[in-house]
């Protein structure tokens, strides 16, 4: 009986070591990957809501439909920028969304439109993971900054 | 190869002494489990499990803690066995569960149930007790590191040393390896899963110090 328990404990230790090594390897490989700098190119995404943005900055929020906090961030951001003289064009980029949503209601007007990242550009090409992250692009689509949820993009210290 | 004690520690205490020691260890472990349930039950409304009834959340949390302790003891027995020391799971598991009450206290401190000042809470229970704890995966993995964690590690080392009959420092080295390995696993997992998790990763505004819009 004792021998059986000893073997079980040994198996548990070996499994734990294997898990540790596998996860460490996966993490290292993930960290070793190089990703492209985000750049706003509408052709890479599927438009879900019209883009009526004039020339100026575009703020793109990575939104997942099952994530309430990033949608809340989008709404708060909209509320805090509408009073500006030249508000940025706020846009939502639906990420980690396997299928095209049948209907979309994010509860805010989006001058920059709503876009579906059908090709997983956000995750696979840009290497991004945090929902609610806001990308600030200039009129030519170049990245000015990226900031986490809860931060006003052009007022934060976080910059790429 | 297994080393055994040269003299029976209970030889003079009578034949029932080992059984009484075992009974006492499990009784203390039972009390520790009860304390865990109480702490988790009180902390439940302020956690992500707030959608579940507090008693259910506490029961699930307690089951997870018991399972974690069982695996921790199992790994400890195997590790000591690989080093040539025979350790009984039934001796190590209740001792580790009893020691984990320190972590239960840390959870209570971090949840704000003790009413301590934030500075003291952070010193005792680590940065997780502070409002606005970091969003970085590495910071989150080590967010529980405080004085109470140090105390728990020291007491766990004592439990291992008693079960394996080795010097404390030697047991402390093994406990430290286990602890660091578990933190690394948490760090790597959080890093890899970031974005796939639906928990609040950052804090939603208001964020008055983040600037004006």
């Amino acid at each position: 009986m004792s021998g059986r328990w000893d073997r079980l404990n040994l198996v548990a230790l070996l499994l734990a070591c294997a898990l540790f090594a596998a996860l460490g390897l996966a993490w290292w490989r993930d960290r070793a990957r190089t990703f492209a700098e985000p750049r706003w190119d509408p052709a890479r995404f599927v438009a879900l809501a019209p883009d009526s943005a004039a020339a100026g900055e575009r703020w793109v929020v990575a939104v997942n439909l099952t994530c309430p906090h990033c949608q809340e961030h989008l709404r708060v951001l909209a509320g805090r920028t509408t009073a500006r003289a030249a508000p940025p064009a706020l846009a939502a980029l639906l990420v980690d969304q396997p299928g095209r949503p049948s209907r979309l209601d994010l509860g805010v007007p989006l001058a920059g439109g709503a876009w579906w990242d059908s090709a997983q550009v956000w995750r696979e090409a840009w290497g991004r993971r945090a929902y609610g992250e806001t990308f600030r692009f200039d009129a030519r689509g170049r990245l000015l900054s990226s900031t986490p949820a809860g931060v006003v993009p052009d007022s934060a210290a976080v910059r790429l | 190869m297994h080393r055994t004690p040269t003299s029976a520690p209970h030889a003079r205490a009578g034949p029932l002494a080992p059984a009484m020691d075992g009974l006492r260890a499990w009784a203390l472990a039972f009390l520790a489990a009860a304390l865990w349930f109480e702490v988790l039950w009180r902390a439940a409304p302020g956690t992500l499990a707030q959608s579940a009834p507090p008693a259910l959340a506490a029961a699930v949390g307690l089951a997870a803690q018991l399972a974690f302790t069982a695996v921790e003891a199992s790994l400890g027995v195997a590790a000591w066995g690989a080093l040539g020391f025979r350790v009984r799971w039934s001796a190590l598991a209740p001792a580790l569960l009893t020691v984990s009450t320190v972590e239960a206290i840390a959870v209570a401190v971090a949840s704000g149930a003790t009413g301590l000042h934030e500075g003291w809470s952070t010193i005792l229970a680590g940065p997780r007790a502070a409002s606005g704890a970091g969003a970085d995966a590495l910071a989150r993995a080590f967010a529980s590191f405080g004085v109470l964690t140090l105390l728990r590690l020291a007491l766990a080392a004592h439990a291992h040393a008693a079960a394996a009959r080795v010097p404390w420092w030697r047991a402390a080295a093994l406990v430290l390896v286990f602890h660091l390995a578990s933190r690394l696993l948490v760090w790597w997992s959080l890093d890899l899963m970031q974005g796939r998790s639906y928990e609040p990763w950052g804090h939603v505004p208001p964020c008055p110090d983040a600037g004006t819009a």
Side-chain angles (χ1 to χ4, degrees):
Chain A
M1 188 65 180
S2 172
R4 189 179 300 170
W5 280 113
D6 285 348
R7 274 196 297 276
L8 201 62
N9 290 331
L10 193 59
V11 167
L13 184 63
L14 291 175
L15 281 175
C17 290
L19 173 71
F20 185 82
L23 202 59
L25 188 65
W27 180 82
W28 177 76
R29 285 189 61 181
D30 185 71
R31 278 292 173 109
R33 282 179 66 183
T34 52
F35 297 100
E37 183 175 281
R39 178 174 180 79
W40 183 250
D41 178 3
R44 302 185 77 177
F45 309 106
V46 177
L48 299 174
D51 174 6
S52 58
E57 284 191 14
R58 179 188 300 270
W59 292 5
V60 180
V61 179
V63 170
N64 183 275
L65 291 179
T66 54
C67 161
H69 91 276
C70 54
Q71 295 179 44
E72 176 65 17
H73 170 65
L74 179 71
R75 286 190 285 272
V76 172
L77 209 53
R80 293 186 70 172
T81 52
T82 46
R84 290 185 174 193
L90 196 60
L93 181 64
L94 299 194
V95 297
D96 287 346
Q97 176 72 29
R100 182 184 179 126
S102 53
R103 67 180 194 86
L104 184 67
D105 180 17
L106 294 171
V108 282
L110 295 168
W115 306 82
W116 172 37
D117 183 15
S118 59
Q120 290 277 74
V121 171
W122 174 78
R123 181 176 288 278
E124 300 298 336
W126 297 355
R128 301 300 169 139
R129 296 204 181 98
Y131 298 152
E133 188 175 17
T134 307
F135 300 91
R136 192 172 145 238
F137 297 103
D138 68 10
R140 298 170 65 181
R142 286 181 306 201
L143 183 71
L144 298 173
S145 69
S146 66
T147 47
V151 170
V152 178
D154 58 355
S155 306
V158 183
R159 274 178 179 271
L160 281 181
Chain B
M1 179 58 190
H2 281 122
R3 298 168 204 182
T4 52
T6 51
S7 63
H10 302 294
R12 283 172 296 174
L16 286 178
M20 289 304 292
D21 281 353
L23 200 62
R24 191 178 58 192
W26 282 109
L28 286 172
F30 179 79
L31 290 176
L35 178 69
W36 264 111
F37 184 85
E38 176 74 10
V39 166
L40 293 171
W41 182 60
R42 288 182 181 275
T47 67
L48 291 167
Q50 53 194 314
S51 55
L56 177 64
V60 171
L62 175 60
Q65 180 61 36
L66 293 177
F68 178 82
T69 305
V71 171
E72 184 184 4
S74 192
L75 297 181
V77 169
W80 285 120
L83 293 170
F85 296 91
R86 179 171 290 282
V87 173
R88 285 184 302 118
W89 185 90
S90 58
L92 188 57
L96 290 178
L97 187 59
T98 303
V99 164
S100 75
T101 51
V102 180
E103 179 60 26
I105 294 168
V107 170
V109 169
S111 70
T114 54
L116 283 173
H117 185 270
E118 187 174 295
W120 282 110
S121 298
T122 305
I123 290 170
L124 288 171
R128 66 178 159 174
S131 56
D136 178 68
L138 177 62
R140 285 168 63 96
F142 287 91
S144 62
F145 196 81
V147 169
L148 289 172
T149 297
L150 281 176
L151 180 61
R152 183 176 64 81
L153 293 177
L155 291 174
H158 179 75
H160 276 267
R165 296 191 176 90
V166 296
W168 180 87
W169 61 267
R170 194 164 184 177
L174 183 71
V175 167
L176 200 59
V177 167
F178 277 8
H179 180 73
L180 287 177
S182 71
R183 293 304 91 197
L184 285 176
L185 281 176
V186 171
W187 174 25
W188 295 339
S189 302
L190 288 176
D191 225 12
L192 288 170
M193 290 174 65
Q194 191 175 351
R196 293 214 188 270
S197 164
Y198 304 129
E199 67 176 297
W201 200 254
H203 288 273
V204 173
C207 46
D209 56 347
T212 55

